Amino acid sequence: MDLRNLDDATFAEIEAAFDEYGVIVFRDQFLTPAEQVAFSRRFGPLDHFPYGLFNMADHPEIVILSNILQEGKPIGMNDAGRYWHSDMWTLDQPPRGSMLCAIEVPVEDKIALGDTYFASSTHAFDTLPHELKARVASLHGVFSTARYKKFVGHEKPDNVYLKEIVKAAAEQPDSEVTHPLVRKHPRTGKTCLFIVEGVIRTILELENAEANDLLDTLLAHTVRPEVTYRHRWRVGDVVMWDNYSAMHRAIGDFELPLRRLMHRTTLSASEMESSHDATTG
Ligand code: SIN
């Protein structure tokens, strides 16, 4: 299909597939930034990426993910998402989902690099042993940006990308936010695990050692190779993921002169969360 020209019935099919599968892939779309923003807006309001540094000047709804340097300066975030996560977990209300358009894909010996892995947080919850489901459903994790920086190595910036990102991050004081480890999807009612690799400092209801063991168990269960999808990118791809029902991780197995350029839009959860509140009181 052509995402630039969709009637309402076809769009409704896409949205239903997005709700059902959590990750959807469209090949050969080649969207311009304006077309990407227009298609993204059909899902509702958009969130801007919090650090303004790499938001596109004339389309600030798009954040640029790239390893490309222009005059020695990065044009985008180079190391985005190289850990199992759902997006923008630092916010009280993380987004509904994200859309990534592949503009340039690194290729070596005819093989595309820079794949992205996906895992289903819904399947992860559904396949937990019964007692663990009940236990996890009452717990709350403390998600910490200081933990994140340590986990991804930002406290030891050794390259130009990290220097820029650390500069931007330094302007934002470290913060913590508490999220339930299990959340209901406001549109589908599906139950989703809400964990992020390496950033949950503790679980409010547990001692630290027990919390760490539990988080390791939950992550290992969620990202078992037999239940992950590995997306091998082609220029022109549009991939969307639901931030409640899917986790993802970029593998980042390439370096300049191989170039990667992706444009990401972020779908806000505000509308679906408020209509969920209205229906559930
Ligand atoms: C992200 O986490 O948004 C980045 C995914 C990717 O670059 O493959």
Side-chain angles (χ1 to χ4, degrees), residues 65 80-81 85 87 100 114-116 233 241 248 250 260 262 264:
L65 311 183
H85 68 289
D87 290 323
L100 208 56
D115 296 355
T116 308
W233 291 94
W241 56 89
H248 60 287
R260 189 176 193 258
M262 301 273 167
R264 196 184 97 186

Side-chain angles (χ1 to χ4, degrees), residues 10-26:
T10 312
F11 177 74
E13 276 185 61
I14 291 176
E15 196 166 32
F18 188 46
D19 284 340
E20 181 169 357
Y21 298 110
V23 180
I24 53 176
V25 176
F26 305 91

Side-chain angles (χ1 to χ4, degrees), residues 10 13 35 60-61 63 70 76 80 84-85 91 156 166 169 172 176 200 231-233 237 266:
T10 312
E13 276 185 61
E35 288 164 347
E61 306 86 347
V63 59
Q70 256 167 18
W84 281 106
H85 68 289
L91 304 182
K156 290 190 207 111
V166 168
Q172 321 264 333
E176 293 196 334
I200 302 182
H231 185 69
R232 179 146 291 175
W233 291 94
D237 282 356
T266 311

Side-chain angles (χ1 to χ4, degrees), residues 60-122:
E61 306 86 347
I62 293 181
V63 59
I64 301 172
L65 311 183
S66 185
N67 67 333
I68 298 172
L69 299 174
Q70 256 167 18
E71 295 170 5
K73 286 199 146 239
I75 64 162
M77 286 173 65
N78 174 46
D79 69 338
R82 294 189 180 169
Y83 63 120
W84 281 106
H85 68 289
S86 51
D87 290 323
M88 287 155 59
W89 47 265
T90 54
L91 304 182
D92 287 333
Q93 187 178 77
R96 171 181 177 185
S98 297
M99 180 188 301
L100 208 56
C101 291
I103 314 299
E104 292 188 50
V105 174
V107 176
E108 192 169 56
D109 297 332
K110 299 195 178 149
I111 303 211
L113 302 176
D115 296 355
T116 308
Y117 284 94
F118 295 92
S120 164
S121 324
T122 311

Side-chain angles (χ1 to χ4, degrees), residues 8-266:
D8 288 347
T10 312
F11 177 74
E13 276 185 61
I14 291 176
E15 196 166 32
F18 188 46
D19 284 340
E20 181 169 357
Y21 298 110
V23 180
I24 53 176
V25 176
F26 305 91
R27 295 286 197 190
D28 302 322
Q29 295 299 316
F30 305 99
L31 299 185
T32 64
E35 288 164 347
Q36 179 178 354
V37 170
F39 176 55
S40 304
R41 284 220 173 101
R42 293 192 72 167
F43 292 83
L46 304 182
D47 283 339
H48 288 202
F49 193 75
Y51 300 156
L53 190 63
F54 297 121
N55 292 358
M56 202 178 262
D58 42 356
H59 293 287
E61 306 86 347
I62 293 181
V63 59
I64 301 172
L65 311 183
S66 185
N67 67 333
I68 298 172
L69 299 174
Q70 256 167 18
E71 295 170 5
K73 286 199 146 239
I75 64 162
M77 286 173 65
N78 174 46
D79 69 338
R82 294 189 180 169
Y83 63 120
W84 281 106
H85 68 289
S86 51
D87 290 323
M88 287 155 59
W89 47 265
T90 54
L91 304 182
D92 287 333
Q93 187 178 77
R96 171 181 177 185
S98 297
M99 180 188 301
L100 208 56
C101 291
I103 314 299
E104 292 188 50
V105 174
V107 176
E108 192 169 56
D109 297 332
K110 299 195 178 149
I111 303 211
L113 302 176
D115 296 355
T116 308
Y117 284 94
F118 295 92
S120 164
S121 324
T122 311
H123 180 73
F125 181 80
D126 287 346
T127 52
L128 284 177
H130 190 63
E131 325 73 67
L132 194 50
K133 270 188 196 164
R135 179 160 169 243
V136 174
S138 63
L139 302 178
H140 296 81
V142 180
F143 292 57
S144 148
T145 58
R147 268 299 167 102
Y148 166 74
K149 287 180 197 162
K150 206 167 169 153
F151 185 66
V152 298
H154 276 193
E155 86 282 17
K156 290 190 207 111
D158 58 356
N159 68 40
V160 59
Y161 305 100
L162 285 180
K163 278 190 192 121
E164 288 298 312
I165 292 159
V166 168
K167 235 195 301 166
E171 286 159 19
Q172 321 264 333
D174 280 331
S175 61
E176 293 196 334
V177 58
T178 301
H179 293 299
L181 292 192
V182 171
R183 51 184 176 169
K184 276 248 177 278
H185 194 293
R187 286 175 59 85
T188 64
K190 289 180 191 166
T191 312
C192 313
L193 264 191
F194 187 10
I195 53 170
V196 171
E197 183 179 16
V199 310
I200 302 182
R201 183 174 61 72
T202 193
I203 294 175
L204 284 184
E205 297 83 358
L206 302 182
E207 297 296 327
N208 280 351
E210 199 186 351
N212 290 338
D213 284 353
L214 178 62
L215 290 168
D216 288 349
T217 304
L218 293 175
L219 184 68
H221 171 76
T222 305
V223 304
R224 283 168 295 142
E226 64 272 27
V227 292
T228 57
Y229 166 62
R230 177 175 181 166
H231 185 69
R232 179 146 291 175
W233 291 94
R234 283 195 336 219
V235 172
D237 282 356
V238 175
V239 175
M240 297 183 63
W241 56 89
D242 183 306
N243 212 36
Y244 288 66
S245 66
M247 293 176 76
H248 60 287
R249 178 172 80 89
I251 61 175
D253 56 352
F254 58 92
E255 280 179 6
L256 286 173
L258 302 180
R259 293 162 49 117
R260 189 176 193 258
L261 174 59
M262 301 273 167
H263 289 167
R264 196 184 97 186
T265 42
T266 311

